[in-house]
Amino acid sequence: MTLPALYNTSVLYRRILSQFPQDISLAFAYGSGVFKQNGTSQGQMGRNMLDFVLAVDDPVTWHTMNLMQNRKHYSVLKFLGPRKISRIQDEHGAGVYYNTLVPVDGRIIKYGVISTDSLIDDLLHWKTMYIAGRLHKPVKILVQGENGKLHAALVGNLKSAVTASFLMLPESFSEEDLFLQIAGLSYAGDFRMVIGEDRSKVANIVKENVQHFRILYNNILQECPQVVYKPHQGKLEVDKSPEGQFVQLMALPRTLQQRITRLVDPPGKNRDVEEILLQVAQDPDCGSVVQQGMSSIVKSSSITQTAKGIATAGLLKSLSYSTKKLQKMWKGWRMKTP
């Protein structure tokens, strides 16, 4: 199938990307500076930070070139050189290296660099679900190369998001229910949702972007044999039989399956994964078990990546970035208070 993509060829995005080394296998923009969120005006969007992720085949070479072109983007870690920066990128946190609060062409941007191999691994197996989770939601694809393995992983990630969400939803639900569940996958267990993020963030993302979610997931829902999708009514019905749930559990990414088995299988028993998932499929609390497995992945990656972000951004930028997040959280809380 063809991956639905929200392409944007505006001068702004092309001008920003032209500032970077061009050996990029995938580039996308995301977040509140790119997509309208509930409660945000067009004027506020224009002032919000623009978020980018750049996937590169050779991080050492890419950082070498970027340090020559954009040395000021980096924190004190620039003095360690491109090889050490690449090691920090790959070996700590979620495999992504962020430079934040960077002024480019009159806008403030944040950009994360991840190796193409690490991105594919996260998309397929949800080892950290850090970038994979961002790609569950609408993004603007700016560059996409001819890497067939990456393309297949992008589609597989969307299918996995649908499967995991089916397991956590009732037998009948609306399109909006599904999109809320999908958008919330990467926030389940994220400690920043307790302090640092607007707690109504998921609903704000979905409410203004239902059509973008439809574009992203329509083909997958139409082709999925385990759901009855009625797009004109905005309704879905999913197979909640033990057999149906077992098929869905077996289709989940490997890391999530492993987290589920750890939750269910007592230490020392060492049962086969298939046997454990068959047990979970028959459990009335199957959805809750899947939710706990998701939360354990997101919690660990959000903590380690945030700790790494303090080093990659530098202390002053980290404080500034955290202050802005807390202000948004406070604003969201005040809007909900009668």
Side-chain angles (χ1 to χ4, degrees), residues 183-200:
L185 292 176
S186 60
Y187 296 113
D190 189 335
F191 82 99
R192 294 171 301 176
M193 295 302 287
V194 178
I195 181 165
E197 289 284 8
D198 179 359
R199 295 183 196 181
S200 57

Side-chain angles (χ1 to χ4, degrees), residues 2 51 90 104 174:
T2 303
D51 297 290
D90 290 334
V104 178
S174 68

Side-chain angles (χ1 to χ4, degrees), residues 117-129:
D117 288 342
S118 292
L119 175 59
I120 290 171
D121 186 60
D122 196 36
L123 292 169
L124 291 176
H125 305 304
W126 287 5
K127 184 178 178 182
T128 68
M129 225 183 74

Side-chain angles (χ1 to χ4, degrees), residues 28-77:
F28 65 88
Y30 67 97
S32 61
V34 180
F35 289 92
K36 191 175 187 305
Q37 295 186 7
N38 190 43
T40 304
S41 67
Q42 287 296 132
Q44 286 173 314
M45 272 188 71
R47 294 189 296 273
N48 284 347
M49 184 163 61
L50 292 172
D51 297 290
F52 297 87
V53 167
L54 314 175
V56 302
D57 291 341
D58 183 348
V60 175
T61 300
W62 196 90
H63 282 295
T64 299
M65 296 170 68
N66 199 44
L67 280 163
M68 289 191 287
Q69 292 176 220
N70 300 302
R71 192 171 180 82
K72 290 182 179 179
H73 293 184
Y74 292 80
S75 70
V76 69
L77 296 185

Side-chain angles (χ1 to χ4, degrees), residues 293-309:
M294 291 286 313
S295 296
S296 69
I297 296 172
V298 174
K299 182 178 181 180
S300 57
S301 65
S302 69
I303 290 171
T304 56
Q305 183 63 35
T306 300
K308 172 177 160 184

